[in-house]
Amino acid sequence: MQFLKKSNFNILGHAKIAITISLAIIAVTLVSFFYPGFNLSIDFAGGTLVQMKFEEPVQQDIATIRELVNDLGFGQAEIRTIGFEQDNEIQITVKAQMEGSGISDEIRNTLTENYSQNPFEVRREESVGMRIGGEFRRNTIIAVLVALLAILIYVGFRFSLPFGVASVVPLFHDVLITLGIFTIFGMELSLSFFAALLTVVGYSLNDTIVILDRVRENIKKSGRGKDFKELINSSINQTLSRTIITSITTLFVVTSLYILGSEIIRDFALVLLIGVIVGTYSTLFVASPVLVWWNKKWPILKK
């Protein structure tokens, strides 16, 4: 299906503005890493999580429950609802950890004694130590970096080094901006966040490779003697319908997941939602300018 027949948009003509916007957002992102900093889940920071289902609606009493848990002395508790409103489920997280089920037992006991008007049952308990959380954090960073390096090596070997660099730079761009949006708005970085982030990397790479592969084909067909920018623009326009259709259909699915999914799926879907939008943008406005820049420094098209 091709709904943009014979399109002739000057995508590279807007590259400077797009790169400026990207650099500004990345600068804000880097600042956000220090202030306000990362809001790490207990998977990485260590702590205790308790999920409870109440018999009666609990949303109106969240402040009361938070005060009761805070009084236990485990630091500021994070409480959020799980699933739909009628499910009456909440998740309590504290950045503290004890041997066994000590903290979850104390939370259960204090709510049983002081919030007895709304009986509950514990659906889930998790406790992660600081050391384990630190190992998770280190291994996750290594996994992301190894994935990006492996992509650079594979694409560089399969195509050539300029194409490898042009495909990996947008991935760093997508990872940084998605991470920055979550950090700036204080949203929690959990294991599901990084799983979704690696999915975004795969999606964005696939999108970028389609354009770069078309560039390579066009170089073989008519590259000699043709202006490199024109060749890149032509390649982008030839694949533009495919890029837009793929992005829109993916956004339909991800938006449905975000609206209709449970709380855990919703976090995963939000990362994909942001990642797909940023990935489509970088495919058009970051990957190609990198290739043009490389051609200026070390000509790909030798006359």
Side-chain angles (χ1 to χ4, degrees), residues 100-111:
S101 58
I103 291 179
S104 58
D105 287 344
E106 289 202 36
I107 292 174
R108 183 192 297 115
N109 292 337
T110 194
L111 292 182

PDB file of all heavy atoms in Angstrom, residues 100-111:
ATOM      1  N   GLY A 100      13.355 -11.631  55.394  1.00  0.00           N
ATOM      2  CA  GLY A 100      12.057 -12.288  55.339  1.00  0.00           C
ATOM      3  C   GLY A 100      10.952 -11.335  54.918  1.00  0.00           C
ATOM      4  O   GLY A 100      11.149 -10.459  54.098  1.00  0.00           O
ATOM      5  N   SER A 101       9.773 -11.504  55.520  1.00  0.00           N
ATOM      6  CA  SER A 101       8.614 -10.678  55.151  1.00  0.00           C
ATOM      7  C   SER A 101       8.307  -9.652  56.231  1.00  0.00           C
ATOM      8  O   SER A 101       7.146  -9.296  56.450  1.00  0.00           O
ATOM      9  CB  SER A 101       7.394 -11.575  54.910  1.00  0.00           C
ATOM     10  OG  SER A 101       7.113 -12.344  56.078  1.00  0.00           O
ATOM     11  N   GLY A 102       9.362  -9.182  56.939  1.00  0.00           N
ATOM     12  CA  GLY A 102       9.178  -8.275  58.080  1.00  0.00           C
ATOM     13  C   GLY A 102       8.391  -7.018  57.734  1.00  0.00           C
ATOM     14  O   GLY A 102       7.426  -6.659  58.430  1.00  0.00           O
ATOM     15  N   ILE A 103       8.770  -6.330  56.644  1.00  0.00           N
ATOM     16  CA  ILE A 103       8.109  -5.067  56.307  1.00  0.00           C
ATOM     17  C   ILE A 103       6.672  -5.300  55.851  1.00  0.00           C
ATOM     18  O   ILE A 103       5.739  -4.609  56.293  1.00  0.00           O
ATOM     19  CB  ILE A 103       8.911  -4.323  55.228  1.00  0.00           C
ATOM     20  CG1 ILE A 103      10.226  -3.833  55.827  1.00  0.00           C
ATOM     21  CG2 ILE A 103       8.118  -3.151  54.653  1.00  0.00           C
ATOM     22  CD1 ILE A 103      11.114  -3.098  54.862  1.00  0.00           C
ATOM     23  N   SER A 104       6.462  -6.281  54.974  1.00  0.00           N
ATOM     24  CA  SER A 104       5.088  -6.540  54.503  1.00  0.00           C
ATOM     25  C   SER A 104       4.195  -6.991  55.656  1.00  0.00           C
ATOM     26  O   SER A 104       3.000  -6.657  55.693  1.00  0.00           O
ATOM     27  CB  SER A 104       5.095  -7.577  53.382  1.00  0.00           C
ATOM     28  OG  SER A 104       5.681  -8.781  53.810  1.00  0.00           O
ATOM     29  N   ASP A 105       4.765  -7.731  56.625  1.00  0.00           N
ATOM     30  CA  ASP A 105       3.967  -8.137  57.792  1.00  0.00           C
ATOM     31  C   ASP A 105       3.533  -6.918  58.604  1.00  0.00           C
ATOM     32  O   ASP A 105       2.389  -6.829  59.068  1.00  0.00           O
ATOM     33  CB  ASP A 105       4.786  -9.080  58.685  1.00  0.00           C
ATOM     34  CG  ASP A 105       4.937 -10.461  58.055  1.00  0.00           C
ATOM     35  OD1 ASP A 105       4.172 -10.760  57.109  1.00  0.00           O
ATOM     36  OD2 ASP A 105       5.819 -11.214  58.498  1.00  0.00           O
ATOM     37  N   GLU A 106       4.469  -5.962  58.770  1.00  0.00           N
ATOM     38  CA  GLU A 106       4.127  -4.762  59.561  1.00  0.00           C
ATOM     39  C   GLU A 106       3.077  -3.917  58.843  1.00  0.00           C
ATOM     40  O   GLU A 106       2.187  -3.344  59.477  1.00  0.00           O
ATOM     41  CB  GLU A 106       5.392  -3.948  59.832  1.00  0.00           C
ATOM     42  CG  GLU A 106       6.339  -4.612  60.824  1.00  0.00           C
ATOM     43  CD  GLU A 106       7.271  -3.620  61.472  1.00  0.00           C
ATOM     44  OE1 GLU A 106       6.830  -2.485  61.726  1.00  0.00           O
ATOM     45  OE2 GLU A 106       8.445  -3.973  61.714  1.00  0.00           O
ATOM     46  N   ILE A 107       3.194  -3.817  57.523  1.00  0.00           N
ATOM     47  CA  ILE A 107       2.190  -3.067  56.752  1.00  0.00           C
ATOM     48  C   ILE A 107       0.828  -3.741  56.876  1.00  0.00           C
ATOM     49  O   ILE A 107      -0.200  -3.089  57.113  1.00  0.00           O
ATOM     50  CB  ILE A 107       2.608  -2.964  55.263  1.00  0.00           C
ATOM     51  CG1 ILE A 107       3.847  -2.073  55.131  1.00  0.00           C
ATOM     52  CG2 ILE A 107       1.468  -2.410  54.411  1.00  0.00           C
ATOM     53  CD1 ILE A 107       4.422  -2.029  53.726  1.00  0.00           C
ATOM     54  N   ARG A 108       0.816  -5.061  56.758  1.00  0.00           N
ATOM     55  CA  ARG A 108      -0.445  -5.800  56.867  1.00  0.00           C
ATOM     56  C   ARG A 108      -1.059  -5.614  58.267  1.00  0.00           C
ATOM     57  O   ARG A 108      -2.255  -5.355  58.397  1.00  0.00           O
ATOM     58  CB  ARG A 108      -0.193  -7.293  56.613  1.00  0.00           C
ATOM     59  CG  ARG A 108      -1.480  -8.137  56.637  1.00  0.00           C
ATOM     60  CD  ARG A 108      -1.202  -9.614  56.688  1.00  0.00           C
ATOM     61  NE  ARG A 108      -0.501 -10.082  55.516  1.00  0.00           N
ATOM     62  CZ  ARG A 108       0.730 -10.590  55.495  1.00  0.00           C
ATOM     63  NH1 ARG A 108       1.412 -10.671  56.618  1.00  0.00           N
ATOM     64  NH2 ARG A 108       1.270 -11.018  54.385  1.00  0.00           N
ATOM     65  N   ASN A 109      -0.216  -5.695  59.297  1.00  0.00           N
ATOM     66  CA  ASN A 109      -0.721  -5.590  60.665  1.00  0.00           C
ATOM     67  C   ASN A 109      -1.290  -4.201  60.961  1.00  0.00           C
ATOM     68  O   ASN A 109      -2.348  -4.067  61.582  1.00  0.00           O
ATOM     69  CB  ASN A 109       0.396  -5.911  61.666  1.00  0.00           C
ATOM     70  CG  ASN A 109       0.787  -7.390  61.592  1.00  0.00           C
ATOM     71  OD1 ASN A 109      -0.008  -8.226  61.154  1.00  0.00           O
ATOM     72  ND2 ASN A 109       2.001  -7.705  62.018  1.00  0.00           N
ATOM     73  N   THR A 110      -0.570  -3.166  60.503  1.00  0.00           N
ATOM     74  CA  THR A 110      -1.041  -1.809  60.827  1.00  0.00           C
ATOM     75  C   THR A 110      -2.349  -1.484  60.104  1.00  0.00           C
ATOM     76  O   THR A 110      -3.220  -0.797  60.660  1.00  0.00           O
ATOM     77  CB  THR A 110       0.042  -0.752  60.519  1.00  0.00           C
ATOM     78  OG1 THR A 110      -0.318   0.468  61.145  1.00  0.00           O
ATOM     79  CG2 THR A 110       0.186  -0.497  59.029  1.00  0.00           C
ATOM     80  N   LEU A 111      -2.508  -2.002  58.869  1.00  0.00           N
ATOM     81  CA  LEU A 111      -3.770  -1.762  58.162  1.00  0.00           C
ATOM     82  C   LEU A 111      -4.904  -2.593  58.765  1.00  0.00           C
ATOM     83  O   LEU A 111      -6.054  -2.140  58.822  1.00  0.00           O
ATOM     84  CB  LEU A 111      -3.615  -2.090  56.675  1.00  0.00           C
ATOM     85  CG  LEU A 111      -2.703  -1.146  55.874  1.00  0.00           C
ATOM     86  CD1 LEU A 111      -2.672  -1.548  54.403  1.00  0.00           C
ATOM     87  CD2 LEU A 111      -3.179   0.298  55.994  1.00  0.00           C
TER      88      LEU A 111
END
